[in-house]
Amino acid sequence: MSDLRDPAPYDALLLLSFGGPEGPDDVVPFLANVTRGRGIPEERLKEVGKHYFLFGGVSPINAQNRALLDALRKDFSEHGLDLPVYWGNRNWAPYLTDTLREMVTDGRRRIAVLATSAYASYSGCRQYRENLAESLAALEAEGLPVPRVDKLRHYFNHPGFVEPMVEGVLASLADLPDDVRTGAHLAFTTHSIPLSAADTSGPVEAHGDGGAYVAEHLDVARLIVDAVRERTGVAYPWQLVYQSRSGAPHIPWLEPDICDHLEALHGEGVPAVVMAPIGFVSDHMEVLYDLDTEATAKAAELGLPVRRSATVGADPRFAAAVRDLVLERAAAEQGPPPQRCALGTLGASHDLCPVGCCPARAPEPAAAGADSPYA
């Protein structure tokens, strides 16, 4: 971790997240925000929202972001980093535009942005950058000052993100019955996305065969497997699998699905599985439903013992990693790039998304990149 303390030129950190409903009446309006522009009727949104209604219409993501905000503020204070932390969402209150308006009213003009997505992809990176550009344009239209926003690099291989997941897998293995533990398989899960989006994720040179999205997840999975082997003496078999598919059936998405994978492992005689959701920062609805509810029910139907390891959430090591990322980026803005903290084979990700990185089918202006209209 960096021993620097000067956040200049940054005068604030923005935690930028997806958002989620906080009651039954919020579910359909929230899903309308998520799917805006696609013309999906309300009845279909109610059907899609059944996962939320199973949990009282409340997504855990907002509470988890509040916990992360508390952890960040505590870490910054304890380490002498005088940097206020704000929070804005893409799809629900507090909305990004409202938060940026508050920030400029407070006098913030140079903002570091942490998105709650650790990997390269359109939905996990460029779409957030498009949201930033849209909000900055709204401020400009209101006659307000337009701040400079810099999105912090992808942190999938930062030790403060990886280490808590290693410990989560170890804890899940330890929780398995003794007679199945050493024969268990590790299923590393992440959000499935269309093959076309995966293949064009990351910089242009990374495109093809799953792009940066798949490569980054595989690198993290190998890091965890190696660490588990070092600490247990067991080389657990593993595979990267996918969950939460939501697209049209005729469009190819990343596979295999976690439930299909559990069936296949059971058919092979595997005695137990640890599901490790490495693609997610916190235990939000897609973890709560797709793994803890749906996949766990599938495993029970098969008679297959499963455990689900913890996500990083508000772990103090992750908060420290965010501090490190802020100070690393500040140091790069101040002068020669500092040494960057990264594990695995891929190295530290880029600070500035290059042209052609994670393109959309219909490109929109995006902030915090080489093609940003807001320098």
Side-chain angles (χ1 to χ4, degrees):
M1 298 288 184
S2 172
D3 59 358
L4 302 173
R5 294 292 180 273
D6 184 6
Y10 299 108
D11 53 21
L13 173 67
L14 169 63
L15 176 65
L16 177 55
S17 194
F18 192 82
E22 301 203 67
D25 293 341
D26 296 344
V27 173
V28 170
F30 162 74
L31 292 173
N33 287 340
V34 173
T35 61
R36 59 185 175 271
R38 302 182 203 172
I40 298 177
E42 182 173 329
E43 287 307 310
R44 174 59 181 154
L45 294 179
K46 289 179 180 177
E47 175 65 20
V48 172
K50 65 183 180 181
H51 300 170
Y52 292 96
F53 291 122
L54 288 174
F55 298 93
V58 179
S59 168
I61 193 170
N62 283 344
Q64 290 160 4
N65 279 326
R66 292 184 185 102
L68 180 55
L69 284 171
D70 289 343
L72 291 172
R73 289 165 178 157
K74 182 175 185 291
D75 178 90
F76 287 10
S77 176
E78 290 177 348
H79 292 85
L81 180 58
D82 184 15
L83 196 71
V85 185
Y86 295 75
W87 169 36
N89 288 325
R90 173 191 293 175
N91 297 303
W92 201 249
Y95 288 104
L96 173 59
T97 302
D98 295 337
T99 299
L100 284 172
R101 186 182 298 110
E102 176 189 1
M103 295 178 82
V104 297
T105 301
D106 289 347
R108 314 303 175 193
R109 297 294 182 268
R110 190 72 184 270
I111 300 167
V113 180
L114 176 80
T116 54
S117 176
Y119 301 86
S121 71
Y122 171 73
S123 59
C125 183
R126 185 177 175 91
Q127 192 170 12
Y128 281 112
R129 294 175 47 227
E130 291 176 357
N131 298 145
L132 285 165
E134 182 180 18
S135 292
L136 293 175
L139 297 186
E140 189 174 35
E142 294 172 14
L144 293 171
V146 177
R148 164 81 177 266
V149 295
D150 291 334
K151 183 177 176 291
L152 298 177
R153 67 174 172 92
H154 302 301
Y155 46 85
F156 63 93
N157 56 3
H158 194 289
F161 186 69
V162 175
E163 272 299 317
M165 293 192 292
V166 171
E167 290 192 2
V169 171
L170 289 169
S172 291
L173 286 167
D175 193 46
L176 285 170
D178 294 344
D179 59 336
V180 299
R181 184 179 305 122
T182 58
H185 280 226
L186 308 180
F188 295 103
T189 76
T190 191
H191 206 301
S192 183
I193 60 175
L195 291 183
S196 58
D199 290 346
T200 56
S201 58
V204 172
E205 61 269 20
H207 291 180
D209 196 22
Y213 186 75
V214 171
E216 290 169 0
H217 282 87
L218 287 173
D219 211 40
V220 171
R222 292 186 191 103
L223 285 168
I224 295 172
V225 168
D226 289 346
V228 169
R229 183 179 64 248
E230 289 174 6
R231 299 180 201 186
T232 65
V234 180
Y236 287 96
W238 63 277
Q239 186 170 337
L240 178 64
V241 300
Y242 302 93
Q243 62 175 90
S244 312
R245 174 180 173 142
S246 58
H250 68 280
I251 297 176
W253 283 50
L254 290 169
E255 296 178 336
D257 176 77
I258 178 61
C259 289
D260 295 337
H261 184 59
L262 293 176
E263 284 194 359
L265 291 179
H266 178 257
E268 295 167 8
V270 170
V273 178
V274 168
M275 302 181 294
I278 62 172
F280 306 95
V281 172
S282 65
D283 290 1
H284 54 58
M285 184 57 72
E286 288 170 324
V287 175
L288 194 65
Y289 180 81
D290 295 334
L291 293 184
D292 292 354
T293 304
E294 191 173 50
T296 299
K298 169 58 70 174
E301 173 190 318
L302 297 168
L304 178 66
V306 294
R307 299 292 185 271
R308 197 269 291 173
S309 67
T311 53
V312 172
D315 189 288
R317 288 165 294 187
F318 182 47
V322 175
R323 168 170 43 88
D324 188 60
L325 292 168
V326 170
L327 293 172
E328 169 197 286
R329 183 62 182 272
E333 295 293 319
Q334 294 166 15
Q339 184 174 358
R340 299 173 186 268
C341 201
L343 301 173
T345 62
L346 299 180
S349 185
H350 48 262
D351 279 340
L352 196 67
C353 290
V355 175
C357 193
C358 303
R361 290 184 178 178
E364 297 288 338
D371 56 355
S372 172
Y374 299 99

